[in-house]
Amino acid sequence: MLRRFFLFLSGQKHLRKWVETSALVQGLASRFVAGESLEDALRAGTRINSEGIDLTLDHLGESVTSLAEAAQARDSYIRTLSAIHDHGIRGNVSLKLTQFGLDLSEKECRANLAQLVALAAGFGTFVRVDMESSAYTDRTLSLVEEMHAQYGAVGTVIQAYLYRSRKDIERLSAKRIRVRLVKGAYLEPPNGAFPRKAEVDRNYIELMQLLLDQGEYPAIATHDEKMIEETKAHAARRGIDAGRFEFQMLYGIRRDLQRRLVADGYRLRLYVPFGKAWYPYFMRRLAERPANVFFLARHVFRQ
Ligand SMILES: Cc1cc2nc3c(=O)[nH]c(=O)nc-3n(C[C@H](O)[C@H](O)[C@H](O)COP(=O)(O)OP(=O)(O)OC[C@H]3O[C@@H](n4cnc5c(N)ncnc54)[C@H](O)[C@@H]3O)c2cc1C
């Protein structure tokens, strides 16, 4: 119930304006966001690398309303990828296609993405296209497949809550396209997605096994200890070396678990968001865990 409520709020534009400029909520969001500027993100990146963890930088933003904004987002990603390269940081970038103009013009969005992926290919690095709600799944996958055929250097995300995901993983794996497996963070209609968490978890384990067996350097992105233990166990059963896949987690969540994985010799990449447009991202993090909401409420009442 709370999950649905916060995911509903995540799409409310008026609330967004108010919240993004509120110093109080900004302070709370800083748990999940590395800062507003690229410099903040690079500082966080250097610290994270020194702990033996790789990263992917996300310049926050989604659902832009003009092609000029989409071009700005592309330029900011070009600056980010170049800075990662120049500073010798072990990291790549993650972006959302609605930030690159997908809602406005597929042609412009493709051109923006092509510029970034070509740059990544030149640097020998990688661009991850995040997955948004199921309204975008087909278009996201077809653009990623097209870019991959042209440049390599690009991969995407598959959500275990969608019924269609097994087929998508099989196709992407056959094309050697890298997949990050997540449970899924959006409000979805019941005809396309498992409604119950237990079913999503079961599907996650099945898809993780498929990816470990057939996928191209899969990323198992979760903070769920059961999913992590199942992954380790499957890799051990199949004799899959820890260097052939990676775990991924979000900045600011389960640092204890992050440290443990690294100490045990597993690869870990942190998803590190930065920038001013943090509202929808923050609301999805609240939706994932009711305790975050109580933490927020306690803070508000103390003021
Ligand atoms: C690296 C990465 C990239 C992602 N990219 C995408 C994407 O492109 N598209 C997409 O739809 N989703 C994405 N997600 C989000 C994902 O879909 C889930 O919503 C999110 O990871 C929570 O699910 P979980 O696997 O951690 O398991 P859950 O069962 O939700 O949580 C397991 C445990 O993890 C901890 N936890 C989980 N979330 C939080 C939180 N917000 N705050 C505090 N503790 C928490 C709690 O201890 C919880 O009990 C991404 C997640 C990660 C880690």
Side-chain angles (χ1 to χ4, degrees), residues 3 7 10 62 96 130-134 159 161 184-188 284:
R3 176 176 189 271
L7 290 179
S10 75
E62 50 201 86
K96 292 181 174 51
D130 288 344
M131 190 56 77
E132 299 176 72
S133 77
S134 59
Q159 297 151 324
Y161 65 18
Y186 295 83
L187 209 49
E188 293 295 347
R284 287 197 295 274

Side-chain angles (χ1 to χ4, degrees), residues 131 159 180 183-185 197 222-223 285 288-289 292:
M131 190 56 77
Q159 297 151 324
R180 171 202 295 152
K183 289 189 186 175
K197 180 171 160 45
T222 181
H223 318 90
R285 302 295 78 83
E288 277 156 6
R289 193 160 178 258
N292 289 339

Side-chain angles (χ1 to χ4, degrees), residues 3 31-32 56 96 129-133 157 159 161 180-186 197 201 204 220-225 227 248-250 252-254 257 269-271 284-289 292:
R3 176 176 189 271
R31 174 181 162 192
F32 301 111
T56 186
K96 292 181 174 51
V129 179
D130 288 344
M131 190 56 77
E132 299 176 72
S133 77
V157 179
Q159 297 151 324
Y161 65 18
R180 171 202 295 152
L181 181 64
V182 301
K183 289 189 186 175
Y186 295 83
K197 180 171 160 45
D201 287 356
Y204 192 98
I220 307 304
T222 181
H223 318 90
D224 185 333
E225 297 204 45
M227 303 298 122
Q248 293 191 356
M249 292 191 202
L250 300 177
I253 298 182
R254 293 298 311 261
L257 198 52
R269 185 181 303 275
L270 273 199
Y271 185 102
R284 287 197 295 274
R285 302 295 78 83
L286 291 186
E288 277 156 6
R289 193 160 178 258
N292 289 339

